[in-house]
Amino acid sequence: MIGPDIAGIAEKLGVAADTATAIPQLAAETGLDVDTAYAVQTALLERRLDRGERLVGLKMGLTSKAKMAQVGVDEVIWGRLTDVMRVPDGGNVDVAAFIHPRVEPEVAFLLDRLPEPGEPVGAFTDAVRAVAPAIELIDSRYANFTFSLPDVIADNTSAAAFVVGPWSPVPEGLDNLGVLLEIDGRVAQVGSTAAILGDPRRALDEGLRLAGRHGVRLREGWLFLAGAATAAVPLRPGAHVRAVVEKLGTATLRASS
Ligand code: OOG
Ligand code: MG
């Protein structure tokens, strides 16, 4: 049997992102499963690297119940972050560059020394140099922001842009910090870092395990987004977005109108 056309599917998803044009879901029709969907994601990454982008880290997705419920997929997933997706803290994005952008509050890790494949993570503070509040801008390339598990994996887990706030040393406890998402000074979502797999430190274990299954090793100096603590909120033109994480501070993003 001939398998799915990995390169052709990656090209469709890449063009959808480049032109901010939604496409129909394609996993069912093309027979993508989780493994072939990660192969599409890798081909999409290579398409970005071929045009000069740099891989700067990984992101986790669907590490909280709020997120799983919002999109109707209940498996933890991971995707790739490149330098071009990074927006400076306080910077602007043009909403017209996206299909139906949403923002969500995240916690970012700056990775330090990581275990060899198969070894336990050991002390979190050996593996993570610093932590920061972050905002992820997600933009599913599928119509109506609706997808199956292999669809969203193939689409690089809806990754589109991200902002990392100021770095702090890893605090004593990371497992129960209040999280707010504010839009134009109003609280849009409230949560806690406990929503991220019970403790966002677990997101790193999952990242190592799940990416390792596909032969991807996390690297010193990479960024790592642990996954949103709350549901995501549509990003409207002109909006001023703040993610506030207790003890860590604030990351800010503006949407130009
Ligand atoms: C999938 C990506 C999920 C998160 O933080 O949970 C994600 C999506 O919701 O479109 O980035
Ligand atoms: Mg996210």
Side-chain angles (χ1 to χ4, degrees):
M1 205 185 97
I2 301 168
D5 172 14
I6 306 287
I9 298 169
E11 186 60 22
K12 270 191 195 158
L13 284 161
V15 170
D18 293 346
T19 59
T21 311
I23 57 171
Q25 291 179 57
L26 34 73
E29 184 191 310
T30 58
L32 277 188
D33 59 12
V34 166
D35 285 340
T36 47
Y38 276 113
V40 172
Q41 191 192 107
T42 300
L44 258 180
L45 171 69
E46 274 157 11
R47 195 175 173 275
R48 284 179 175 269
L49 300 181
D50 284 347
R51 62 187 189 202
E53 294 184 37
R54 264 187 329 113
L55 177 62
V56 295
L58 294 191
K59 59 158 284 189
M60 301 305 288
L62 311 182
T63 48
S64 69
K65 293 234 156 51
K67 284 286 314 184
M68 288 179 172
Q70 183 174 34
V71 298
V73 173
D74 57 3
E75 299 273 346
V76 174
I77 56 179
W78 60 278
R80 271 74 166 223
L81 301 173
T82 74
D83 58 342
V84 165
M85 298 177 189
R86 186 162 183 176
V87 177
D89 190 18
N92 276 279
V93 290
D94 177 4
V95 283
F98 304 101
I99 302 165
H100 35 210
R102 294 178 178 176
V103 282
E104 53 190 23
E106 301 242 357
V107 177
F109 301 156
L110 180 59
L111 300 184
D112 203 333
R113 283 182 296 120
L114 289 148
E116 294 296 315
E119 281 182 9
V121 179
F124 183 77
T125 46
D126 287 344
V128 173
R129 201 175 297 168
V131 294
I135 299 168
E136 189 181 19
L137 188 162
I138 51 172
D139 190 35
S140 175
R141 267 54 69 166
Y142 303 112
N144 305 316
F145 225 111
T146 305
F147 41 73
S148 66
L149 173 65
D151 275 312
V152 68
I153 291 169
D155 185 26
N156 196 22
T157 66
S158 311
F162 64 95
V163 175
V164 179
W167 293 108
S168 310
V170 179
E172 273 300 299
L174 256 188
D175 56 327
N176 198 13
L177 305 179
V179 175
L180 289 180
L181 182 69
E182 282 180 16
I183 311 279
D184 298 329
R186 291 210 185 85
V187 175
Q189 292 286 333
V190 188
S192 157
T193 56
I196 305 165
L197 297 174
D199 182 332
R201 288 176 288 202
R202 282 204 194 113
L204 182 61
D205 300 320
E206 284 299 287
L208 284 162
R209 191 176 67 82
L210 294 174
R213 257 191 214 168
H214 296 273
V216 174
R217 279 190 65 187
L218 280 62
R219 304 273 168 197
E220 186 174 341
W222 274 12
L223 297 168
F224 183 89
L225 294 180
T230 72
V233 171
L235 180 66
R236 309 274 179 225
H240 181 205
V241 182
R242 273 168 32 110
V244 186
V245 183
E246 190 185 344
K247 288 191 189 167
L248 304 186
T250 303
T252 310
L253 173 70
R254 284 174 189 277
S256 46
S257 31

